[in-house]
Amino acid sequence: VQLQASGGGLVQPGGSLRLSCAASGRTYSNNVMGWFRQAPGREREFVAAVTWSSSRTYYADSVQGRFSVSRDNAKNEVYLQMNSLTPEDTAVYYCSFGRPTEKIHFYFTPTWWDYWGQGTQVTVSS
């Protein structure tokens, strides 16, 4: 499975960005797709995830209410709509692809996920 993320850039505080990630290759159905981010000098942290049917979404507390994750299975794409951005959201954002689990806390750890995109830089600055 190959993942290609796009949509990053420079945005002012309070602004919005929409990230996209396209999956290709031998994708398997009933997967979960998600987003992580990594700021300089910090560990990669969970941002959001969405199940295959889009019936369940999960968010980090730091982005709850500001970010929205969605997917289009016909296109094998996942999206991250980011609103009310702050400088603390500055990071490289990575999309991820993996298997579903009832142990929701597994989604919050990078080691659970099977595949990763190359990352797209998001910089929030005035």
Side-chain angles (χ1 to χ4, degrees):
V1 176
Q2 292 80 45
L3 302 173
Q4 181 69 44
S6 61
L10 174 64
V11 62
Q12 292 187 342
S16 298
L17 276 177
R18 185 179 189 241
L19 305 183
S20 300
C21 177
S24 60
R26 299 177 69 85
T27 60
Y28 44 84
S29 60
N30 196 29
N31 56 70
V32 179
M33 296 187 76
W35 293 92
F36 280 70
R37 65 186 182 186
Q38 188 167 18
R42 301 187 66 176
E43 295 185 350
R44 190 170 297 192
E45 65 173 0
F46 173 80
V47 175
V50 57
T51 58
W52 169 262
S53 64
S54 299
S55 62
R56 298 182 183 180
T57 56
Y58 307 96
Y59 296 95
D61 289 344
S62 58
V63 307
Q64 182 78 44
R66 300 188 298 123
F67 290 13
S68 177
V69 63
S70 61
R71 63 187 294 165
D72 183 337
N73 291 338
K75 297 181 179 180
N76 278 336
E77 293 185 353
V78 63
Y79 312 102
L80 185 68
Q81 177 65 44
M82 305 185 293
N83 299 326
S84 302
L85 286 162
T86 74
E88 288 68 39
D89 295 315
T90 296
V92 177
Y93 283 70
Y94 298 90
C95 57
S96 55
F97 184 101
R99 297 152 288 150
T101 176
E102 292 301 319
K103 299 179 179 179
I104 305 306
H105 63 281
F106 282 12
Y107 293 146
F108 305 154
T109 59
T111 54
W112 172 254
W113 299 85
D114 294 329
Y115 300 97
W116 293 90
Q118 85 289 359
T120 184
Q121 176 71 47
V122 172
T123 302
V124 185
S125 175
S126 56

